[in-house]
DNA sequence: GGAAATATCTGACTAAAATCAGGCAATGAG
DNA sequence: CTCATTGCCTGATTTTAGTCAGATATTTCC
């Protein structure tokens, strides 16, 4: 275990030295690195200022200043989107901003190339596959679960994605209205809890637990963003929700699922859930599960 | 290939975001990060100021300032070592500097721990082994070969290590004097060339080529530091020296080696060298090789 | 011994990164 | 309609990082 920690520290040292040097050399050449980073984050489709700040971990004043600098240089514009919250602003790249991002992308490619160059073909292949693995697992380990109000922006965003996905995966489609009007307040303390999984300031999953009856909980709305599937986020959410249930003195938790959601069914089975008889009249449920909490 | 580059860029993004945040959170809490880094580099045994500067890539003025700051805070002292070059200074930790480094080490361990924590046992094991691999190969790709004067500090340092190693590996020991006084000037242009391999500002390997006769070169002093063995540095040095030979219009290169240096012999064979009859009277040589340059 | 080179230090300076307090406009709850 | 909140902006200010041109002391080369 302590050998693991030594290995991670060694990795940390090497990587920050090597990437730090290269990043500055390639991307911070004639402009502050923070400006390049924010240009990247805006991306071709633009992004809400709010999100830029969160993703890069910037103070709102500082973020504003950087955007203003980009505006002065003619690389980006920010404006509030018509129809949406007029306070929130949205940053977009201008034409020359796009050009600039392409230039940065080319530099970034050179940077990557320069890391491969000195290696033999075999070493390069091994490095790339190890990097892919580290990237995957580092993202997994960077995901944090936070209890939030189910009406909060993050929770709402996840639920939106979740319902979209149900519509596209259920052969019969999905109508949120028909899904027995679930009261969001059920997922707020003290009757329940709603968790959001987040990575680098963005939401990548959610799940809620509510009280069905005394000592009996129900888990619903368990969703994991496609970009982080296979990293064990679903299981972490499930286990965290069960922990909440235990704290609330629940003895059993139930949940239901649609036939087409096979990964979910697999997750539930392997987490100790047993299939039981139908316990509700959810028109989209085909399987009903229950687990006794220790 | 372009997929490889995309993978590296993704790795770069994830890693700088994740490690950057954690490093600042853990190590830069109440002091500039550069100060923490320099404290680390001084280490428990102390270090020459020169080396600190090189390892961290700092301007001499800036390094001096940082050391002064640490001195003011009572964490380190710098003084010239008695008996050694009076211009060069040596930095040491004070008692409270040691305490501070221990504190930083503990934080660093926590940091590593925090990366493992959210993962399952299996994921953690995979991440650690992938990190070890990335670290190895990133160090390999960070190694640069530079032609230098064989009398330069870097070259001399490597040669010192090299001769030390010969003394400890040859059963009969090694006396540099007996090794047919090789003139260092032979390895300077235009008659020859001396390469040093360096990583993060430190020297980790070397090798030289000189002119034995018109159109005939000899490679000598090929050495790779134990800390970077197995990364292909020896082969890179050898190939670079051959390239120099080609540029100098040499048609063939020769070299000799001691019986006990089996890895070297393996390297030469697999690089296209053929064993030939004894061509010199080096008392420490048992095998003589030659390769025709294309 | 004198000139050139080396190793560090100092002062003056700049740029980048970041924080803080206050301000304004849009929004939402009551 | 009012008032607290939210999202962003501005000006003032600080900290961190880094550069550059000498200054000083020591060593090395001739």
């Amino acid at each position: 275990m302590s050998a693991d920690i030594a290995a991670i520290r060694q990795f940390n040292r090497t990587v920050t030295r090597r990437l730090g040097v290269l990043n500055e050399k390639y991307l911070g050449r004639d402009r502050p690195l923070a400006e390049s980073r924010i240009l990247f984050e805006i991306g071709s489709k633009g992004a809400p200022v709010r999100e830029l700040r969160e993703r890069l971990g910037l103070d709102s004043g500082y973020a504003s200043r950087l955007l203003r600098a980009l505006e002065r240089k003619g690389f980006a514009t920010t404006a509030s989107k018509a129809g949406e919250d007029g306070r929130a602003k949205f940053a977009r790249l201008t034409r020359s901003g796009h050009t600039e991002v392409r230039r940065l992308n080319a530099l970034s490619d050179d940077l990557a190339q320069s890391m491969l160059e000195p290696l033999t073909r075999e070493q390069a292949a091994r490095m790339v596959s190890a990097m892919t693995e580290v990237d995957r697992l580092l993202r997994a380990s960077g995901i944090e679960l936070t209890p939030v109000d189910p009406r909060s922006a993050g929770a709402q965003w996840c639920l939106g994605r979740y319902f979209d996905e149900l519509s596209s995966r259920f052969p019969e489609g999905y109508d949120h209205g028909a899904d027995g009007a679930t009261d969001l307040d059920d997922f707020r303390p003290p009757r329940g809890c709603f968790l959001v999984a987040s990575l680098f300031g963005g939401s990548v999953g959610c799940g809620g637990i509510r009280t069905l009856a005394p000592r009996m909980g129900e888990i619903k709305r368990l969703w994991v963003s496609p970009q982080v599937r296979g990293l064990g986020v679903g299981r972490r959410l499930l286990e965290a929700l069960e922990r909440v249930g235990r704290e609330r003195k629940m003895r059993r938790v139930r949940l239901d699922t649609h036939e087409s959601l096979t990964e979910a069914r697999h997750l539930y089975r392997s987490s100790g859930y047993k299939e039981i008889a139908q316990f509700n009249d959810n028109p989209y449920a085909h399987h009903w599960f229950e687990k006794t909490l220790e």
Side-chain angles (χ1 to χ4, degrees), chain A residues 50 79-90:
Chain A
R50 166 72 179 251
S80 45
K81 261 181 154 177
E84 311 228 325
D85 186 329
R87 291 166 301 182
K89 301 222 177 158
F90 195 87

Side-chain angles (χ1 to χ4, degrees), chain A residues 15 36 84 89 113 142 164 176 199 219 238 242 259 286:
Chain A
V15 154
S36 293
E84 311 228 325
K89 301 222 177 158
Q113 187 63 51
D164 288 352
H176 183 33
L199 175 62
I219 286 173
L238 188 59
E242 291 170 3
E259 192 142 49
H286 301 103

